[in-house]
């Protein structure tokens, strides 16, 4: 007996819907087994991980805080991936967007204009886009592998941030801690509903970005161009579309949203610049994009699910005493099962029974 994969004539629409749900179920099963191995009650652990963070209003605000950067980054990555451009460096674009947006509140502390915050957001988006332009340039004009270049640039961005905060941008009155001066009210992203929690306007930005990107992909010529070039570059050339222009557009678009997420996170959630501003949002957003089927509206739902793993990981550390690495394990399991279950969309599983011939199989 052997198991073979038989390619479907066309992708299964049923499994296209079922695949992410099946991946979630398998992740929960694998997570329960992991907790048993760790010597924890799996029911109690999964309750702490996935239900406990949803029981209080303030924790729902925290869910929105965690989901906002994931959704923003993943929406941009979806455009890249659907156009067959593999941007893996959103974490670096997130960081450079935060750095670019923080120029005003750190270097111009005496400027208290209402224009400070809008300019910060704009500069953050531009900073992320410019950093994403580096792998775009290398791919479009030198045919360099964008996976490697965008990924390596992540470490450059993180080390540059660390160098700034421990050097020129360190707060002189911060008791030698590696952080910038605290932002004033004019440089702080306001909360949506301050009385009940600290969710800020970045979540609104994420929802608006998802809706507008969905509209672009579904109803505009640019969206049609993204789909055609992503499925067949040769067909796109016959239609008069330029693959080089698409490389530039997809990377700049993705980088701008990642940069906007970066400055929104620093301005809305942290209140100053510091060496660690992300728990890995740029990499987790890759899982969000694929779990959402590269559909911006699906990404909103998957972003909330992945944000729940961050909150659940923090809750599980307190209630059952597990390591914070459990969060990464859950996210890795989810990506593994999403990609594995996607096989069912394009392939049928066929069991072949081979007969014995002359005593040999």
């Amino acid at each position: 007996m052997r198991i073979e994969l038989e390619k479907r004539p066309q992708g299964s629409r049923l499994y296209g819907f079922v695949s992410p749900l099946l991946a979630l179920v398998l992740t929960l099963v694998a997570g329960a087994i992991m907790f048993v191995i760790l010597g924890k009650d799996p029911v109690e652990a999964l309750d702490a991980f996935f239900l406990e963070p949803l029981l209080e209003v303030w924790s729902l605000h925290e869910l929105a805080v965690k989901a906002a950067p994931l959704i923003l980054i993943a929406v941009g990555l979806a455009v890249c991936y659907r156009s067959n451009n593999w941007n893996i460096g959103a974490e670096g674009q997130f960081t450079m967007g935060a750095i670019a947006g923080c120029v005003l509140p750190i270097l111009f502390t005496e400027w208290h204009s209402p224009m400070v915050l809008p300019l910060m957001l704009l500069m953050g988006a531009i900073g992320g886009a410019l950093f994403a332009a580096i792998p775009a340039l290398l791919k479009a004009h030198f045919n360099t592998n964008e996976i490697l270049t965008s990924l390596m640039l992540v470490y450059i961005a993180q080390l540059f941030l660390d160098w700034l905060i421990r050097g020129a941008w360190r707060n002189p009155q911060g008791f030698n801690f590696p952080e910038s001066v605290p932002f004033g009210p004019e440089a702080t992203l306001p909360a949506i509903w301050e009385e009940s929690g600290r969710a800020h306007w970045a979540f609104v930005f994420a929802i608006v970005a998802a809706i507008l990107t969905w509209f672009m992909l579904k109803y505009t010529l640019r969206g049609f161009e993204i789909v055609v070039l992503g499925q067949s570059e040769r067909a796109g050339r016959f239609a008069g579309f330029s693959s080089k222009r698409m490389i530039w557009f997809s990377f700049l678009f993705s980088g701008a949203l990642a940069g906007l997420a970066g400055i929104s996170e620093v301005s809305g959630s942290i209140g100053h610049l510091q060496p660690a501003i992300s728990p890995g949002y740029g990499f987790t957003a890759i899982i969000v994009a694929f779990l959402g089927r590269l559909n911006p509206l699906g990404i909103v739902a998957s972003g909330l699910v992945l944000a729940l793993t961050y909150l659940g990981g923090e809750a599980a550390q307190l209630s059952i005493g597990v390591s914070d690495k459990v969060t990464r394990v859950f996210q890795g399991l989810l990506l593994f099962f999403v990609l594995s279950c996607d096989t069912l969309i394009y392939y049928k599983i066929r069991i072949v029974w081979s007969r014995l011939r002359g005593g040999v199989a």
Side-chain angles (χ1 to χ4, degrees):
M1 182 190 78
R2 68 178 185 274
I3 299 175
E4 293 183 349
L5 294 177
E6 180 182 340
K7 191 170 180 60
R8 299 178 187 270
Q10 60 182 17
S12 170
R13 301 182 70 177
L14 172 63
Y15 282 115
F17 174 76
V18 171
S19 174
L21 300 178
L22 179 60
L24 282 173
V25 171
L26 291 173
T27 301
L28 291 176
V29 172
I33 295 171
M34 175 183 68
F35 285 125
V36 170
I37 294 172
L38 292 174
K40 307 294 182 181
D41 182 351
V43 175
E44 181 185 356
L46 292 176
D47 176 76
F49 221 93
F50 292 103
L51 294 181
E52 188 177 318
L54 301 177
L55 300 180
E56 301 287 345
V57 174
W58 69 267
S59 64
L60 294 178
H61 277 259
E62 293 302 312
L63 184 68
V65 169
K66 292 285 194 294
L70 292 174
I71 295 170
L72 272 172
I73 299 169
V75 166
L77 291 180
V79 171
C80 266
Y81 298 161
R82 291 184 71 162
S83 65
N84 201 30
N85 293 295
W86 298 94
N87 180 9
I88 310 297
E91 182 80 359
Q93 294 143 31
F94 177 96
T95 302
M96 291 304 292
I99 293 172
C102 288
V103 168
L104 292 180
I106 291 177
L107 299 184
F108 300 91
T109 55
E110 301 301 320
W111 191 31
H112 302 293
S113 167
M115 290 299 296
V116 171
L117 184 59
L119 286 175
M120 286 171 60
L121 298 175
L122 178 62
M123 292 170 65
I126 292 173
L130 290 177
F131 203 62
I134 299 173
L137 172 69
L138 293 173
K139 180 178 182 181
H141 299 281
F142 301 99
N143 199 29
T144 308
N145 187 302
E146 73 275 22
I147 296 175
L148 295 177
T149 54
S150 61
L151 180 59
M152 288 189 292
L153 284 167
V154 171
Y155 302 101
I156 293 175
Q158 291 174 338
L159 290 171
F160 180 60
L161 171 62
D162 193 76
W163 174 76
L164 276 177
I165 293 304
R166 298 181 189 277
W169 284 11
R170 187 201 297 260
N171 182 5
Q173 299 176 345
F175 302 101
N176 214 31
F177 286 103
E179 60 185 33
S180 72
V181 295
F183 296 170
E186 71 283 347
T188 301
L189 200 61
I192 300 173
W193 189 12
E194 192 170 358
E195 291 77 12
S196 60
R198 68 187 192 106
H200 47 75
W201 279 83
F203 187 70
V204 177
F205 298 160
I207 301 300
V208 171
I211 294 172
L212 293 179
T213 304
W214 171 82
F215 182 86
M216 176 190 72
L217 291 172
K218 192 169 182 65
Y219 293 109
T220 68
L221 178 61
R222 176 67 72 182
F224 179 68
E225 183 179 353
I226 290 169
V227 173
V228 171
L229 284 170
Q231 293 180 348
S232 172
E233 185 178 335
R234 186 166 180 264
R237 285 200 302 269
F238 278 116
F241 301 146
S242 169
S243 60
K244 284 188 177 181
R245 283 201 301 268
M246 181 51 60
I247 293 170
W248 280 102
F249 172 79
S250 61
F251 268 92
L252 292 178
F253 183 86
S254 176
L257 287 185
L260 178 61
I263 185 56
S264 298
E265 177 71 9
V266 171
S267 174
S269 301
I270 302 174
H272 59 265
L273 198 58
Q274 59 188 30
I277 59 174
S278 166
Y281 288 136
F283 296 117
T284 306
I286 298 173
I287 307 175
V288 173
F290 282 103
L291 184 62
R293 324 291 327 136
L294 301 183
N295 182 314
L297 299 185
I299 283 170
V300 174
S302 61
L304 290 168
V305 170
L306 267 296
L308 184 59
T309 65
Y310 280 116
L311 281 185
E314 295 170 0
Q317 289 178 58
L318 295 174
S319 58
I320 62 174
V322 296
S323 167
D324 60 339
K325 302 297 186 293
V326 170
T327 299
R328 293 302 181 91
V329 173
F330 259 109
Q331 293 172 351
L333 285 172
L334 185 55
L335 178 60
F336 172 78
F337 285 122
V338 165
L339 297 178
S340 300
C341 292
D342 277 0
T343 305
L344 299 175
I345 301 174
Y346 302 104
Y347 294 91
K348 297 177 183 178
I349 298 177
R350 190 159 61 95
I351 298 177
V352 179
W353 298 90
S354 56
R355 297 180 178 178
L356 295 176
R357 293 182 180 178
V360 181

